[in-house]
Amino acid sequence: MSQQYPLKEVKGDAVCFVPGSPLFSVLMEPASFCYPRLTFLRSPYGQFGASAGSSQDLAQWPQRLVTQRWTGPVDESPPAAMSRNGYFFEESGYLKCDTDDGCEAKEETGGEELFDAVNSSIVSGDSIRFFVNVNLEVPPNATAENESAGCVLLHTSRKYLKLKNFEEEVRAHRDLDGFLARASIILDETATSLDDVLREMLKHFAEDPENMEPSCNFEKIMSTLFTDSGTPREGNVHLLSDTIQGVTATVTGVQYQQSWLCIICTIKSLQRRHVCISRLERPQNWGENSCEVRFVILVLAPPKMKSTKTATEVGRTFATMFSDITFRQKLLETKTEEEFKEALVHQRHLLTVVNQRPSAMSDGHKSHSPKPLKLHEFLNVGKGISDDIARRFPVYALDFTDGVIGNNKAIGKYITTMIFLYFACLLPSIAFGSLNDENTRGAIDVQKTIVGQCIGGLLYALFSGQPLVVLLTTAPLALYINVIRGICDDYNLDFSAFYAWIGLWNSFFLVMYSLFNFSLLMKLFKRSTEEIIALFISITFVLDAFKGIIKVFKKYYYHGRTGDSYLEKARTDAIPSLGINTTFLMNSSVSRSMSLENQTGTHDVHYGRETAVLSLMLMLGTLWLGHTLYQFKKSPYLHARVREILSDCALPISVLTFSVVGSYIFKEIEMSKFNYNPSESLFVLAPVQSLSIGSVMSAMGLGFLLSMLFFIEQNIVASLTNAPENRLVKGTAYHWDLLLVALINTGLSVFGLPWIHAAFPHSPMHVRALAYVEERVENGHIYETIVSVKETRLTSLVANFLVGLSLLLLPFPLQWIPKPVLYGLFLYIALTSIDGNQLFERVALLLKEQTAYPPTHYIRRVPQRKIHYFTGLQVLQLLILCGFGMSPLPYMKMIFPLIMIGMIPIRYNLLPRIIEAKYLDAMDAEH
């Protein structure tokens, strides 16, 4: 049993050893009565360290001395303020002292001030403790109570916050303006404990008529600020829940700015945000990292707030201001609230001026502010092509070996991407080939479209500088071909010759564009302009799908007046001239359907309506299954690799599934299928010499307009493919690829094959299929980001080679793919292409509540009204583009590439007159 001492009072110098000292113990000077032996140490076991006084725990700590004066009875119980925060002073002898810096600052203070600073609500396992080893006998009941108190778990999470950019983030100024309008400032607060300071701040809220919250319980708010809110009695660990402090990284660790503390809290009962700043009369020691607090910022906010208006964001605004030591010193010198406000306004001005210099590349956002183009850049003939070759040729071999040889193999991803790309190239070729077959009356059919796709795709995959770009014949090209057929009919011209001359002129202009570095003009196309054009292409896919299904309904649903002749004509027109086997199948299908009609007695009207309804179901089913599988990788079902494979193969799975449904399960119902006319010879030279000089010159005008379309589409699709968020590393080749496209289309024009150029959204989808993607969370919003992409030529090569082999599958089984399934494919492509389109996301903001706004860079940097203005102006440009590109007048469709080019002066000259240039640049920035 420990010896008991007749203690009355302890007087003397207590020596405090800070972490790093060897084993120590300090014996007080002997007097007329026995003094206890005092040992001072930092517990390595956290808040309630065991064996705190053992020599093993202290042997490795370096020595540092801090002297404190302590006067008072030893057997006296600590003040009530000291008995909180989980400390058991009477039983275990733990006291809370300053941290290293705090202890030095308190050398000259008296003993009573020490106890004033003990009441800490901000503690950690590294805090300094006094262990008073008085060797007194502890009462048994106290020991039992101590052991039965139990242990609780405390979860601590820390994260870095960026300093607020007052020059770019609009909420920084608005947060301060809102505070100044309803300023809640307490100067020279005399309370010493953190609890009392916070109560005074909440009391200030309650007494302010402008900050009244009718349904708010400030006592409940007070308890919510701490970790013991709602915990059982044994979990009464009284610590602040959520704080922001300034830190500085050093070689030895992290140094905290200990003179200010920002406390943030989310309260459900609040109706709006509240901020209160309290300046303390004297520095207060509230535990480690808060040893000399002079300023307390309290931020309260309701939970349902816009991502830029949360308590954390408001706290970040004021924390950024208080992180400046000069500003804090100036606030200490202020005498009145008005001077305090003036200091805040002045600090805002200083932060705005300081941030103006590096703002162009701040926050990781790359600004679209290119250097002005000069004339000599265009006169340096062939320089762009040579630079592209010099940049891409050294990594040419890697385009074949990456992912196949070495450690980071991706053969499985290559296989799934090849399958996806095969269907993504083949099915549009069939769809647009069928459309061209109808428009040109068989001059350009499905077979020629597949051959042109195979040849052009293989050449581009082998020799291009950007092999992830996918070449296809597209809807705008089908519109051009239709217009050319109409001109030939009007002026009695040979279609194949006129088509060839237009293609040759188009290639000539493209060669000139590439030689004179015209692709440099793409620097003038801002991100917003590119997204308008991308969304226009997506809309064309949707309209093509709906036009097709409307034709099906007109043909099969509303045909009751035409009787049997109409149905018979529909059957004979569906698959003409298929040969012996096809004729047999055709006759058996007709006889089977006629027998079905005779049995049911409903004749052809009921039969046609079944076809229309089934067509609609096939189209929507293809869209639903494709999009569901595309999003399946985000679901928790199956293994991650299986989910990824299903997502990559979403397109072929959906097409094959509903092709079987339409052609086999419901084989009794007649379905609309694409036309197939076997060509006698695929490679016949066009009679280019048969046209007159006048016709050749008129073809030059049409070729120039076509070259505008090629130039814009090729470069914009290449730009979207090489977007910074795709993280491609092997470089670009705009000029060389434009020249290669010109040479490919020269051969296609001469042989009467359909033209091809870079296709959207197939090219970005190709990148996505080869990408490794991660999901990340920012302020509660989940978004996907690309980590890396396998840049290879193999996927395009194999896919286009398989497209060529598909000629062996004509007419069957490819003709078993119903047209409605192709329409569903168009809808799937359109829906997946808008993923990540910023214009579409901003249009969707109009339908969302503010709390659901994502924390994107433009939400932070641009006022909400300006965002909606800009979105409205973009939608207006999109409507104008759609008006020309989808006009029923054929010649209006020819000039819509000029409308695309006309968007450049609109963006540079008109929009800055409506919206400030800095906001336009922010919304055009690359996130």
Side-chain angles (χ1 to χ4, degrees):
M1 179 179 298
S2 300
Q3 184 178 359
Q4 299 186 27
Y5 297 94
L7 299 179
K8 300 240 185 222
E9 188 177 10
V10 175
K11 297 180 181 179
D13 291 333
V15 183
C16 175
F17 288 78
V18 178
S21 69
L23 176 64
F24 58 85
S25 63
V26 179
L27 297 177
M28 307 302 294
E29 286 185 13
S32 58
F33 55 91
C34 296
Y35 289 88
R37 186 179 64 170
L38 304 180
T39 306
F40 303 82
L41 58 113
R42 181 195 297 256
S43 169
Y45 294 97
Q47 183 67 32
F48 304 100
S51 305
S54 63
S55 60
Q56 291 86 350
D57 299 330
L58 304 172
Q60 72 272 19
W61 295 10
Q63 184 175 8
R64 185 177 171 195
L65 299 180
V66 178
T67 303
Q68 289 283 5
R69 187 76 181 175
W70 181 20
T71 304
V74 171
D75 56 350
E76 181 182 36
S77 297
M82 297 172 53
S83 62
R84 290 179 294 181
N85 307 333
Y87 291 93
F88 301 89
F89 300 102
E90 295 182 9
E91 292 82 10
S92 57
Y94 279 97
L95 300 181
K96 186 78 163 50
C97 182
D98 305 343
T99 54
D100 304 351
D101 298 337
C103 289
E104 291 177 329
K106 295 288 184 179
E107 272 190 35
E108 299 178 359
T109 24
E112 295 177 359
E113 193 169 314
L114 171 64
F115 289 104
D116 289 339
V118 165
N119 180 26
S120 172
S121 295
I122 310 172
V123 295
S124 72
D126 292 334
S127 53
I128 299 175
R129 292 163 175 78
F130 284 55
F131 181 74
V132 185
N133 185 10
V134 295
N135 293 329
L136 299 179
E137 186 176 34
V138 181
N141 58 348
T143 305
E145 182 182 353
N146 224 4
E147 292 177 353
S148 63
C151 174
V152 295
L153 302 179
L154 183 67
H155 174 228
T156 303
S157 178
R158 294 185 176 93
K159 66 177 181 180
Y160 281 102
L161 295 177
K162 290 182 179 179
L163 292 174
K164 206 135 195 179
N165 191 322
F166 274 69
E167 197 273 330
E168 292 186 348
E169 297 191 52
V170 294
R171 290 307 318 177
H173 296 271
R174 296 190 175 185
D175 290 340
L176 183 57
D177 290 339
F179 172 75
L180 295 175
R182 301 182 304 271
S184 184
I185 301 172
I186 302 176
L187 299 181
D188 300 328
E189 173 61 52
T190 57
T192 57
S193 70
L194 177 59
D195 294 57
D196 293 338
V197 170
L198 291 176
R199 285 193 179 91
E200 289 297 324
M201 298 175 80
L202 293 176
K203 182 180 177 182
H204 195 272
F205 277 137
E207 295 175 351
D208 190 349
E210 297 183 358
N211 291 330
M212 287 298 292
E213 292 281 354
S215 61
C216 188
N217 186 341
F218 284 97
E219 284 300 325
K220 187 175 181 181
I221 294 178
M222 182 66 190
S223 65
T224 308
L225 294 173
F226 296 92
T227 56
D228 53 0
S229 173
T231 58
R233 184 175 180 181
E234 62 269 15
N236 190 21
V237 181
H238 197 65
L239 309 176
L240 282 173
S241 297
D242 211 348
T243 62
I244 300 176
Q245 280 186 274
V247 295
T248 304
T250 63
V251 178
T252 57
V254 175
Q255 290 184 352
Y256 283 76
Q257 295 181 354
Q258 307 199 29
S259 63
W260 64 275
L261 180 65
C262 181
I263 304 168
I264 60 178
C265 188
T266 300
I267 308 295
K268 292 182 179 179
S269 57
L270 291 180
Q271 296 181 357
R272 55 189 177 88
R273 299 170 298 161
H274 299 275
V275 180
C276 181
I277 300 177
S278 178
R279 187 183 69 186
L280 308 184
E281 186 180 26
R282 293 184 302 168
Q284 298 299 325
N285 174 18
W286 289 334
E288 187 184 21
N289 307 330
S290 301
C291 294
E292 46 185 19
V293 178
R294 289 300 302 273
F295 298 97
V296 179
I297 305 111
L298 178 62
V299 180
L300 306 177
K304 285 288 187 178
M305 295 296 293
K306 187 179 175 182
S307 59
T308 55
K309 297 181 181 180
T310 60
T312 302
E313 288 298 317
V314 178
R316 192 163 70 96
T317 298
F318 288 94
T320 301
M321 301 181 73
F322 275 82
S323 63
D324 186 354
I325 188 172
T326 306
F327 170 64
R328 298 197 300 271
Q329 185 64 33
K330 186 180 297 184
L331 289 181
L332 291 175
E333 299 171 358
T334 57
K335 304 298 182 184
T336 64
E337 287 192 13
E338 291 303 321
E339 292 181 3
F340 200 97
K341 292 179 183 179
E342 291 176 1
L344 289 171
V345 173
H346 181 67
Q347 178 68 6
R348 172 174 64 179
H349 173 71
L350 292 179
L351 290 173
T352 304
V353 172
V354 167
N355 287 326
Q356 280 179 349
R357 291 192 293 270
S359 63
M361 295 294 291
S362 64
D363 292 340
H365 302 117
K366 183 179 178 182
S367 177
H368 281 271
S369 299
K371 297 179 181 179
L373 298 174
K374 298 180 180 179
L375 182 61
H376 70 85
E377 297 182 72
F378 300 101
L379 298 179
N380 198 346
V381 179
K383 184 178 186 302
I385 297 175
S386 61
D387 290 344
D388 290 343
I389 294 176
R391 180 166 49 249
R392 288 291 303 180
F393 186 73
V395 295
Y396 183 78
L398 296 178
D399 292 339
F400 295 93
T401 59
D402 282 351
V404 178
I405 300 174
N407 296 328
N408 299 322
K409 293 183 179 179
I411 297 177
K413 182 171 281 291
Y414 283 4
I415 293 174
T416 56
T417 304
M418 290 170 187
I419 297 173
F420 153 76
L421 197 59
Y422 165 66
F423 280 87
C425 293
L426 176 64
L427 298 179
S429 298
I430 293 174
F432 292 120
S434 177
L435 181 62
N436 288 331
D437 190 11
E438 295 175 5
N439 294 336
T440 62
R441 293 187 288 278
I444 299 177
D445 56 9
V446 173
Q447 195 174 10
K448 286 188 174 181
T449 305
I450 291 177
V451 170
Q453 174 63 42
C454 175
I455 295 174
L458 287 174
L459 292 175
Y460 191 83
L462 282 172
F463 301 112
S464 68
Q466 300 173 96
L468 297 187
V469 174
V470 178
L471 296 192
L472 283 174
T473 185
T474 60
L477 292 179
L479 294 177
Y480 261 73
I481 293 174
N482 187 27
V483 172
I484 293 171
R485 182 75 225 193
I487 294 174
C488 292
D489 292 341
D490 293 340
Y491 295 96
N492 198 22
L493 300 174
D494 183 84
F495 172 77
S496 59
F498 196 59
Y499 176 85
W501 272 112
I502 293 176
L504 292 174
W505 280 116
N506 168 56
S507 298
F508 169 77
F509 287 115
L510 291 179
V511 170
M512 293 296 103
Y513 299 156
S514 60
L515 290 177
F516 288 95
N517 312 316
F518 272 35
S519 291
L520 294 175
L521 293 173
M522 295 308 299
K523 294 181 179 180
L524 301 177
F525 278 83
K526 298 285 189 175
R527 173 174 180 155
S528 57
T529 307
E530 294 175 354
E531 291 183 336
I532 291 173
I533 297 174
L535 199 55
F536 165 76
I537 297 172
S538 299
I539 292 174
T540 60
F541 276 106
V542 175
L543 290 181
D544 287 340
F546 281 104
K547 285 179 181 178
I549 203 67
I550 289 172
K551 286 182 179 179
V552 171
F553 266 76
K554 286 182 177 179
K555 185 175 183 179
Y556 292 101
Y557 199 86
Y558 303 104
H559 70 284
R561 296 180 182 178
T562 57
D564 296 336
S565 60
Y566 189 96
L567 181 62
E568 192 64 30
K569 183 178 183 301
R571 289 182 179 131
T572 55
D573 289 346
I575 314 174
S577 305
L578 299 180
I580 299 175
N581 296 333
T582 306
T583 305
F584 172 76
L585 291 171
M586 179 71 181
N587 293 335
S588 63
S589 175
V590 172
S591 61
R592 181 174 64 251
S593 60
M594 290 301 293
S595 64
L596 179 65
E597 292 166 5
N598 293 333
Q599 291 173 7
T600 58
T602 56
H603 212 57
D604 62 305
V605 175
H606 182 67
Y607 186 87
R609 289 188 172 183
E610 287 180 344
T611 300
V613 173
L614 180 60
S615 298
L616 179 63
M617 299 305 294
L618 291 178
M619 182 185 75
L620 297 179
T622 304
L623 170 65
W624 169 78
L625 182 59
H627 191 260
T628 301
L629 292 178
Y630 179 74
Q631 299 289 337
F632 194 72
K633 58 187 174 184
K634 300 179 182 179
S635 71
Y637 303 107
L638 305 180
H639 190 269
R641 181 56 185 160
V642 177
R643 294 198 301 266
E644 185 179 1
I645 292 175
L646 290 175
S647 178
D648 291 341
C649 298
L651 176 62
I653 290 175
S654 60
V655 169
L656 292 176
T657 299
F658 283 92
S659 294
V660 171
V661 170
S663 298
Y664 182 75
I665 298 179
F666 294 97
K667 56 186 176 182
E668 295 85 3
I669 300 178
E670 181 81 20
M671 293 303 301
S672 176
K673 295 180 172 61
F674 65 86
N675 297 331
Y676 172 68
N677 297 312
S679 302
E680 297 179 359
S681 178
L682 292 174
F683 299 99
V684 177
L685 286 174
V688 292
Q689 70 281 359
S690 63
L691 293 184
S692 63
I693 298 297
S695 299
V696 173
M697 298 308 294
S698 62
M700 181 179 68
L702 295 175
F704 173 74
L705 293 176
L706 183 62
S707 69
M708 291 287 98
L709 175 65
F710 267 76
F711 175 78
I712 294 173
E713 291 273 0
Q714 179 69 34
N715 284 285
I716 284 184
V717 172
S719 177
L720 293 172
T721 303
N722 287 279
E725 56 265 26
N726 289 339
R727 302 183 188 276
L728 303 183
V729 297
K730 293 184 179 179
T732 60
Y734 293 102
H735 311 279
W736 166 250
D737 284 355
L738 192 62
L739 176 62
L740 182 61
V741 168
L743 297 177
I744 290 173
N745 281 280
T746 299
L748 297 179
S749 301
V750 171
F751 289 103
L753 302 177
W755 303 308
I756 58 175
H757 60 62
F760 179 87
H762 302 76
S763 300
M765 291 172 68
H766 186 201
V767 175
R768 192 81 172 183
L770 291 170
Y772 292 95
V773 181
E774 285 185 357
E775 281 192 351
R776 297 179 181 175
V777 180
E778 182 178 355
N779 293 342
H781 294 266
I782 301 176
Y783 67 98
E784 291 184 342
T785 182
I786 292 177
V787 179
S788 63
V789 177
K790 290 294 183 183
E791 301 179 52
T792 180
R793 299 177 186 271
L794 297 178
T795 51
S796 294
L797 276 172
V798 174
N800 284 285
F801 178 74
L802 293 177
V803 169
L805 291 181
S806 299
L807 289 172
L808 302 177
L809 304 179
L810 286 173
F812 296 102
L814 285 183
Q815 208 169 34
W816 287 347
I817 301 177
K819 274 190 175 181
V821 173
L822 299 180
Y823 302 150
L825 165 70
F826 287 169
L827 293 178
Y828 168 81
I829 290 174
L831 186 60
T832 54
S833 68
I834 63 177
D835 188 19
N837 188 294
Q838 195 180 106
L839 171 58
F840 183 81
E841 291 175 354
R842 281 189 271 107
V843 171
L845 292 181
L846 297 172
L847 306 176
K848 294 181 180 179
E849 60 177 347
Q850 290 191 0
T851 56
Y853 282 16
T856 55
H857 63 285
Y858 57 85
I859 293 291
R860 294 183 180 276
R861 299 162 64 186
V862 184
Q864 184 175 322
R865 185 183 297 109
K866 303 291 185 182
I867 293 176
H868 295 328
Y869 284 168
F870 184 66
T871 303
L873 292 171
Q874 278 189 290
V875 171
L876 181 61
Q877 296 178 71
L878 177 62
L879 292 176
I880 295 174
L881 188 61
C882 291
F884 280 89
M886 303 171 187
S887 171
L889 302 176
Y891 294 101
M892 292 282 284
K893 299 175 182 178
M894 302 292 290
I895 64 172
F896 86 93
L898 299 179
I899 306 300
M900 294 183 184
I901 297 177
M903 293 180 181
I904 296 177
I906 291 176
R907 171 60 182 83
Y908 281 91
N909 299 323
L910 179 59
L911 294 186
R913 298 177 183 271
I914 303 173
I915 303 173
E916 292 89 331
K918 64 178 182 179
Y919 295 145
L920 291 175
D921 291 337
M923 286 182 283
D924 273 333
E926 297 165 352
H927 184 47

